[in-house]
Every structure is written in C-alpha cells, then in structure tokens.
Amino acid sequence: MRFFSPASCAGICLFPLEYLFPRFCGFCGTVLMGPDENGYGLCAFCRRELDALALFPGGEPCGRCGRPLISESGTCLPCRNAEEGSVDSAAVVYPYSGTYRRLLAAYKFGKNLALGRFFAEKIIEVLDRLPLRDAEGAALVPVPPRPGKIRKTGWDQIEYLARFLKRAGKDRPGIPPVCRCLRRLSSDSQKKLDRKARQKNLAGRITVTQKVPPLAVLFDDVMTTGSTLEACAGALKASGARRVYGICLFYD
Ligand SMILES: [Zn+2]
Ligand SMILES: [Zn+2]
C-alpha cells in the first residue's frame, strides 16, 4: 500500500500514525512510553544522551567545515588543503559512524518521522550559535534533493525538516524563514566519488529558482566531502548571497 503521493506535495502527505508517532526509539530500539517519547521518536534516556553529545561538548570544531579537530588547531587538515570555497563556515552535529548511523537510518528508511522534530531542534541549537541576530534578510535554505529521489524513497527528508523549522519559527523569534530557492538537476550518484569528482559531477547542477537571501543558512542531513554544500553555496553567492553558512546533522 502507498501512503504518500510525491507528485502532489513534495513527498509529505498522508503518513500513517505509526510513522508520525513511532513505537520504538530510533536510537536504542526500546518501546517508547508516553506522548513526549513518541513525539520525538526517542526514549527519554537516548534523548538526554544525544542532547549531551551534540556539537562536541568540550571539543574544538574546524572553523570551516565544523568537524571536530583531532590534533590540529583552527582548521582541519582537509580544509587547509582545499581551495577557498563559498561556504563561509559550516557546523555539524553528530558523526555518521557507529550507532549514530542508526539514528539517521531510523529517520530516512525506518520512517521514524518524529525524529524530524529532534533533528530540527538540533539545527536550531546550531542557529543559536551563528551571528544571525540583527542580520537582515537571513533565511534557511534546504539543500535540494536529487531529481527522482522522492519518487524512489517516497519523501524528502530535508523538506520535512524545513516544515518543522518553519513551524518552530512561528513561536520563536530568531529562527529565519525558510527559502526554497535552489533546485538540483540530475547528475550521477555521488556515493562512490571523491571530493574532486563530486565537485565536477555537481558543477552547474544546482540552480537558483527565485531571489536568494543575502544571508543563507543551508541545511542538509550528511556532510561527506562538503561538495554538495559547496555547490549550493556557490550557486547562492553567484546569485547575490553575501554570506552562506551550512548546517549538517551528520558528518562522514
Ligand atoms: Zn532509546
Ligand atoms: Zn575542516
């Protein structure tokens, strides 16, 4: 049975209740108890743990890509070796390794949609650290999906986060509006490509569909080489954006 109709609404339609209020924790798999746990798709214990582990408490992030620094200071080695890019600075929340992979898989493939609320809150925590206060014309820009992705998976996970963020912005000042100003044209899958090949694969494949904000905060699920974020930031700057930040929930 199909529950969503991608063509009509960017892949967010009639989700069954078990997707919206999942029964099992997206991290440890335990049975969820009560509306708060169901509403976040996580048991209270995992939510507390994940809150505490977000954004490397005590660890220094790379000033450019946001990954934690190991023995470097200021900027990580890959960023130091890469040429100047269009992303002014990026932040990441969790490593995309070990048990953390389960978290994203529960959201993307297990359709634990309540995790979207948890992820949106993490994005808001990063936003609180950015110098957006008094910034005129700031907007959140979702990284656009690959064409055909919605048809294949039935929904757009980033667009789903955009809706949580838009709703959160109604209650909380300081959360910029969502601006869906980018579109992605078809390209080969990025999965097996290295940084250079990804850049080449994406060249000219991100287009602007409307006026871009002067200050854009891109958000996406996983940062692998940073090429997708970079291609989006390049398109935004070519169309007039002055500053572009990036937020990715996971880094590979
Ligand atoms: Zn749990
Ligand atoms: Zn870096």
Side-chain angles (χ1 to χ4, degrees):
M1 184 194 288
R2 280 189 76 84
F3 291 102
F4 359 91
S5 155
S8 62
C9 57
I12 299 162
C13 280
L14 298 167
F15 286 122
L17 275 180
E18 65 180 278
Y19 288 175
L20 296 172
F21 300 100
R23 285 196 300 141
F24 302 103
C25 173
F27 201 50
C28 74
T30 193
V31 175
L32 298 177
M33 315 273 256
D36 205 41
E37 291 196 348
N38 290 119
Y40 281 99
L42 288 169
C43 73
F45 177 79
C46 286
R47 202 173 135 209
R48 252 195 323 272
E49 290 280 293
L50 287 164
D51 275 343
L53 291 168
L55 297 160
F56 332 108
E60 254 323 287
C62 164
R64 191 164 155 197
C65 74
R67 292 180 174 96
L69 297 172
I70 302 162
S71 54
E72 312 103 324
S73 70
T75 315
C76 75
L77 211 56
C79 282
R80 252 179 261 173
N81 293 333
E83 63 256 54
E84 194 75 1
S86 298
V87 179
D88 289 290
S89 80
V92 290
V93 183
Y94 295 116
Y96 192 52
S97 59
T99 48
Y100 290 99
R101 288 180 80 101
R102 225 188 284 154
L103 197 59
L104 190 61
Y107 176 62
K108 274 172 103 157
F109 311 116
K111 305 225 168 58
N112 177 331
L113 299 183
L115 277 172
R117 173 173 297 131
F118 176 77
F119 289 145
E121 285 189 4
K122 293 293 142 229
I123 290 175
I124 292 168
E125 279 175 36
V126 180
L127 281 173
D128 287 341
R129 295 169 175 224
L130 291 176
L132 298 181
R133 203 176 289 272
D134 305 325
E136 250 179 64
L140 289 162
V141 180
V143 166
R146 278 192 319 278
K149 183 186 169 180
I150 297 171
R151 207 174 332 131
K152 201 169 149 205
T153 63
W155 66 306
D156 176 0
Q157 303 94 37
I158 306 304
E159 170 58 24
Y160 198 68
L161 295 181
R163 293 185 176 213
F164 272 112
L165 291 165
K166 193 176 165 197
R167 218 171 305 148
K170 286 192 180 131
D171 305 323
R172 267 191 51 179
I175 299 177
V178 173
C179 177
R180 298 170 178 88
C181 56
L182 296 179
R183 192 160 67 101
R184 189 159 165 170
L185 307 176
S186 61
S187 58
D188 292 336
S189 167
Q190 297 274 85
K191 274 201 181 107
K192 292 192 178 131
L193 306 177
D194 64 13
R195 190 177 182 132
K196 275 252 167 320
R198 282 177 186 232
Q199 277 170 353
K200 205 169 151 208
N201 189 35
L202 276 176
R205 309 314 291 163
I206 305 284
T207 60
V208 164
T209 58
Q210 53 174 282
K211 193 169 182 289
V212 306
L215 193 162
V217 184
L218 287 160
F219 62 97
D220 201 0
D221 52 2
V222 185
M223 177 198 282
T224 307
T225 63
S227 308
T228 307
L229 219 53
E230 194 49 51
C232 292
L236 288 167
K237 285 206 165 163
S239 295
R242 288 193 298 275
R243 281 191 85 70
V244 180
Y245 296 105
I247 301 175
C248 290
L249 291 165
F250 296 86
Y251 66 92
D252 209 355

